[in-house]
Amino acid sequence: MNSISLNIWSSYFSTVAEAGATLTGLLFVAVSINLSRILVTPGLTGRVAESLVQLFGVVAIATTYLVPGLHLRTLGVLLLGITSIVWAMQVYTQARYVAARMGNPRHWILARIMQTQVSCIPFFVSGVLFLVGSSVAPYWSAVGLMLSLAAGIASAWVLLIEILR
């Protein structure tokens, strides 16, 4: 377990945390610019919540890696906990969207589900790998962070640009 050195990852996770925080700010701008449309378009308030959770998850996970002296097993438990919360909140908003049966094309919700749910899988894998002492655990988190940032950017695009179509 001690063969994993997170010190070499500190610049990476710091940079990703900054990117996640910046994209969260962009999302707030997108929402404030298009707030009236978001509030009257069914399903978009859930998309806003989903996106905020996605991007805050990036910040939470990346900054958790930066906690000094954190035991690697504790990091694994924290990753599993944060990811479970992010995943559950996204499932909740997506389930509400599906239950509302808004008549939107099925591929809209499928794209949302794929973007958000697929990005959670590497975090679950990473958390488990930390618990068993695997040195590849941070790499799995890196994949999850990149997928989460991509999902956050896609949602920000919808809320900033696509909403105007």
Side-chain angles (χ1 to χ4, degrees), residues 4 16 30 37 77-78 96 115 157 164:
I4 306 171
V16 171
R37 281 192 187 220
V77 170
L78 290 172
R96 286 188 51 179
Q115 289 172 356
W157 177 265
L164 299 175

Side-chain angles (χ1 to χ4, degrees), residues 2-83:
N2 292 331
S3 64
I4 306 171
S5 174
L6 294 181
N7 292 337
I8 61 173
W9 286 90
S10 63
S11 293
Y12 173 80
F13 287 113
S14 178
T15 301
V16 171
E18 290 175 29
T22 301
L23 288 171
T24 302
L26 171 65
L27 183 62
F28 273 105
V29 170
V31 170
S32 66
I33 289 171
N34 294 317
L35 185 60
S36 58
R37 281 192 187 220
I38 290 169
L39 291 175
V40 299
T41 305
L44 283 186
T45 55
R47 181 118 192 206
V48 170
E50 204 174 295
S51 302
L52 286 172
V53 167
Q54 185 87 43
L55 293 171
F56 183 73
V58 167
V59 175
I61 288 171
T63 56
T64 300
Y65 268 91
L66 299 172
V67 174
L70 191 62
H71 191 276
L72 296 176
R73 289 190 194 276
T74 304
L75 178 57
V77 170
L78 290 172
L79 286 174
L80 291 172
I82 293 167
T83 305

Side-chain angles (χ1 to χ4, degrees), residues 84-127:
S84 295
I85 292 167
V86 167
W87 177 80
M89 292 175 79
Q90 290 171 338
V91 167
Y92 175 75
T93 60
Q94 292 165 356
R96 286 188 51 179
Y97 181 83
V98 170
R101 297 184 186 195
M102 295 177 209
N104 293 327
R106 186 178 304 263
H107 72 275
W108 287 9
I109 188 61
L110 293 176
R112 271 174 69 179
I113 290 170
M114 288 301 293
Q115 289 172 356
T116 58
Q117 301 304 312
V118 168
S119 64
C120 285
I121 293 168
F123 296 130
F124 282 119
V125 172
S126 183

